[in-house]
PDB file of all heavy atoms in Angstrom:
ATOM      1  N   TYR A  41     -15.598  55.131  59.176  1.00 97.00           N
ATOM      2  CA  TYR A  41     -16.632  54.277  58.606  1.00 97.00           C
ATOM      3  C   TYR A  41     -16.491  52.813  59.054  1.00 97.00           C
ATOM      4  O   TYR A  41     -17.487  52.208  59.493  1.00 97.00           O
ATOM      5  CB  TYR A  41     -16.641  54.393  57.070  1.00 97.00           C
ATOM      6  CG  TYR A  41     -17.418  53.299  56.401  1.00 97.00           C
ATOM      7  CD1 TYR A  41     -18.815  53.335  56.385  1.00 97.00           C
ATOM      8  CD2 TYR A  41     -16.772  52.208  55.826  1.00 97.00           C
ATOM      9  CE1 TYR A  41     -19.528  52.296  55.812  1.00 97.00           C
ATOM     10  CE2 TYR A  41     -17.483  51.176  55.256  1.00 97.00           C
ATOM     11  CZ  TYR A  41     -18.854  51.215  55.251  1.00 97.00           C
ATOM     12  OH  TYR A  41     -19.558  50.198  54.690  1.00 97.00           O
ATOM     13  N   PRO A  42     -15.269  52.241  59.012  1.00 97.00           N
ATOM     14  CA  PRO A  42     -15.144  50.852  59.465  1.00 97.00           C
ATOM     15  C   PRO A  42     -15.595  50.633  60.911  1.00 97.00           C
ATOM     16  O   PRO A  42     -16.190  49.601  61.213  1.00 97.00           O
ATOM     17  CB  PRO A  42     -13.648  50.558  59.314  1.00 97.00           C
ATOM     18  CG  PRO A  42     -13.204  51.462  58.240  1.00 97.00           C
ATOM     19  CD  PRO A  42     -14.011  52.712  58.408  1.00 97.00           C
ATOM     20  N   ILE A  43     -15.325  51.602  61.791  1.00 97.00           N
ATOM     21  CA  ILE A  43     -15.754  51.426  63.183  1.00 97.00           C
ATOM     22  C   ILE A  43     -17.281  51.376  63.253  1.00 97.00           C
ATOM     23  O   ILE A  43     -17.866  50.514  63.911  1.00 97.00           O
ATOM     24  CB  ILE A  43     -15.193  52.545  64.076  1.00 97.00           C
ATOM     25  CG1 ILE A  43     -13.681  52.390  64.201  1.00 97.00           C
ATOM     26  CG2 ILE A  43     -15.830  52.507  65.459  1.00 97.00           C
ATOM     27  CD1 ILE A  43     -13.022  53.540  64.895  1.00 97.00           C
ATOM     28  N   GLY A  44     -17.920  52.280  62.521  1.00 97.00           N
ATOM     29  CA  GLY A  44     -19.376  52.285  62.470  1.00 97.00           C
ATOM     30  C   GLY A  44     -19.918  50.981  61.902  1.00 97.00           C
ATOM     31  O   GLY A  44     -20.825  50.363  62.458  1.00 97.00           O
ATOM     32  N   PHE A  45     -19.283  50.545  60.813  1.00 96.00           N
ATOM     33  CA  PHE A  45     -19.752  49.324  60.174  1.00 96.00           C
ATOM     34  C   PHE A  45     -19.515  48.102  61.060  1.00 96.00           C
ATOM     35  O   PHE A  45     -20.348  47.190  61.112  1.00 96.00           O
ATOM     36  CB  PHE A  45     -19.057  49.131  58.819  1.00 96.00           C
ATOM     37  CG  PHE A  45     -19.600  47.972  58.040  1.00 96.00           C
ATOM     38  CD1 PHE A  45     -20.742  48.119  57.263  1.00 96.00           C
ATOM     39  CD2 PHE A  45     -18.999  46.721  58.100  1.00 96.00           C
ATOM     40  CE1 PHE A  45     -21.271  47.044  56.561  1.00 96.00           C
ATOM     41  CE2 PHE A  45     -19.512  45.643  57.397  1.00 96.00           C
ATOM     42  CZ  PHE A  45     -20.654  45.806  56.620  1.00 96.00           C
ATOM     43  N   LEU A  46     -18.402  48.113  61.768  1.00 96.00           N
ATOM     44  CA  LEU A  46     -18.091  46.999  62.674  1.00 96.00           C
ATOM     45  C   LEU A  46     -19.206  46.842  63.708  1.00 96.00           C
ATOM     46  O   LEU A  46     -19.662  45.736  63.991  1.00 96.00           O
ATOM     47  CB  LEU A  46     -16.749  47.259  63.372  1.00 96.00           C
ATOM     48  CG  LEU A  46     -16.118  46.093  64.142  1.00 96.00           C
ATOM     49  CD1 LEU A  46     -15.681  44.983  63.197  1.00 96.00           C
ATOM     50  CD2 LEU A  46     -14.921  46.562  64.962  1.00 96.00           C
ATOM     51  N   PHE A  47     -19.637  47.978  64.250  1.00 97.00           N
ATOM     52  CA  PHE A  47     -20.704  47.927  65.245  1.00 97.00           C
ATOM     53  C   PHE A  47     -22.011  47.454  64.606  1.00 97.00           C
ATOM     54  O   PHE A  47     -22.693  46.567  65.130  1.00 97.00           O
ATOM     55  CB  PHE A  47     -20.891  49.295  65.896  1.00 97.00           C
ATOM     56  CG  PHE A  47     -21.915  49.281  66.991  1.00 97.00           C
ATOM     57  CD1 PHE A  47     -21.729  48.506  68.128  1.00 97.00           C
ATOM     58  CD2 PHE A  47     -23.091  50.025  66.884  1.00 97.00           C
ATOM     59  CE1 PHE A  47     -22.678  48.466  69.129  1.00 97.00           C
ATOM     60  CE2 PHE A  47     -24.046  49.995  67.877  1.00 97.00           C
ATOM     61  CZ  PHE A  47     -23.845  49.206  69.008  1.00 97.00           C
ATOM     62  N   TYR A  48     -22.322  48.024  63.443  1.00 95.00           N
ATOM     63  CA  TYR A  48     -23.520  47.618  62.702  1.00 95.00           C
ATOM     64  C   TYR A  48     -23.498  46.115  62.425  1.00 95.00           C
ATOM     65  O   TYR A  48     -24.466  45.397  62.686  1.00 95.00           O
ATOM     66  CB  TYR A  48     -23.585  48.411  61.392  1.00 95.00           C
ATOM     67  CG  TYR A  48     -24.517  47.841  60.354  1.00 95.00           C
ATOM     68  CD1 TYR A  48     -25.875  48.171  60.347  1.00 95.00           C
ATOM     69  CD2 TYR A  48     -24.037  46.973  59.365  1.00 95.00           C
ATOM     70  CE1 TYR A  48     -26.731  47.644  59.395  1.00 95.00           C
ATOM     71  CE2 TYR A  48     -24.882  46.442  58.413  1.00 95.00           C
ATOM     72  CZ  TYR A  48     -26.228  46.767  58.428  1.00 95.00           C
ATOM     73  OH  TYR A  48     -27.066  46.248  57.494  1.00 95.00           O
ATOM     74  N   ARG A  49     -22.342  45.637  61.946  1.00 94.00           N
ATOM     75  CA  ARG A  49     -22.232  44.221  61.569  1.00 94.00           C
ATOM     76  C   ARG A  49     -22.326  43.311  62.796  1.00 94.00           C
ATOM     77  O   ARG A  49     -22.810  42.181  62.712  1.00 94.00           O
ATOM     78  CB  ARG A  49     -20.898  43.992  60.840  1.00 94.00           C
ATOM     79  CG  ARG A  49     -20.806  42.694  60.057  1.00 94.00           C
ATOM     80  CD  ARG A  49     -21.794  42.675  58.910  1.00 94.00           C
ATOM     81  NE  ARG A  49     -21.888  41.360  58.277  1.00 94.00           N
ATOM     82  CZ  ARG A  49     -22.588  40.333  58.764  1.00 94.00           C
ATOM     83  NH1 ARG A  49     -23.219  40.459  59.917  1.00 94.00           N
ATOM     84  NH2 ARG A  49     -22.648  39.184  58.112  1.00 94.00           N
ATOM     85  N   SER A  50     -21.874  43.839  63.957  1.00 95.00           N
ATOM     86  CA  SER A  50     -21.906  43.008  65.167  1.00 95.00           C
ATOM     87  C   SER A  50     -23.340  42.784  65.647  1.00 95.00           C
ATOM     88  O   SER A  50     -23.587  41.927  66.484  1.00 95.00           O
ATOM     89  CB  SER A  50     -21.077  43.657  66.275  1.00 95.00           C
ATOM     90  OG  SER A  50     -21.776  44.760  66.825  1.00 95.00           O
ATOM     91  N   LEU A  51     -24.291  43.574  65.129  1.00 95.00           N
ATOM     92  CA  LEU A  51     -25.692  43.408  65.519  1.00 95.00           C
ATOM     93  C   LEU A  51     -26.461  42.557  64.514  1.00 95.00           C
ATOM     94  O   LEU A  51     -27.677  42.467  64.574  1.00 95.00           O
ATOM     95  CB  LEU A  51     -26.372  44.778  65.632  1.00 95.00           C
ATOM     96  CG  LEU A  51     -25.726  45.765  66.614  1.00 95.00           C
ATOM     97  CD1 LEU A  51     -26.451  47.098  66.569  1.00 95.00           C
ATOM     98  CD2 LEU A  51     -25.712  45.211  68.022  1.00 95.00           C
ATOM     99  N   HIS A  52     -25.724  41.958  63.554  1.00 93.00           N
ATOM    100  CA  HIS A  52     -26.380  41.182  62.512  1.00 93.00           C
ATOM    101  C   HIS A  52     -25.795  39.780  62.411  1.00 93.00           C
ATOM    102  O   HIS A  52     -24.635  39.561  62.742  1.00 93.00           O
ATOM    103  CB  HIS A  52     -26.256  41.888  61.162  1.00 93.00           C
ATOM    104  CG  HIS A  52     -27.042  43.169  61.104  1.00 93.00           C
ATOM    105  ND1 HIS A  52     -26.634  44.313  61.737  1.00 93.00           N
ATOM    106  CD2 HIS A  52     -28.226  43.474  60.518  1.00 93.00           C
ATOM    107  CE1 HIS A  52     -27.515  45.277  61.530  1.00 93.00           C
ATOM    108  NE2 HIS A  52     -28.502  44.795  60.804  1.00 93.00           N
ATOM    109  N   GLY A  53     -26.632  38.854  61.911  1.00 89.00           N
ATOM    110  CA  GLY A  53     -26.173  37.473  61.723  1.00 89.00           C
ATOM    111  C   GLY A  53     -25.574  37.286  60.347  1.00 89.00           C
ATOM    112  O   GLY A  53     -24.894  38.160  59.830  1.00 89.00           O
ATOM    113  N   GLY A  54     -25.845  36.135  59.747  1.00 85.00           N
ATOM    114  CA  GLY A  54     -25.395  35.893  58.381  1.00 85.00           C
ATOM    115  C   GLY A  54     -23.954  35.444  58.281  1.00 85.00           C
ATOM    116  O   GLY A  54     -23.251  35.350  59.275  1.00 85.00           O
TER     117      GLY A  54
END
Side-chain angles (χ1 to χ4, degrees):
Chain A
Y41 165 77
I43 291 172
F45 186 83
L46 192 67
F47 184 63
Y48 163 87
R49 196 65 190 79
S50 75
L51 302 177
H52 292 75

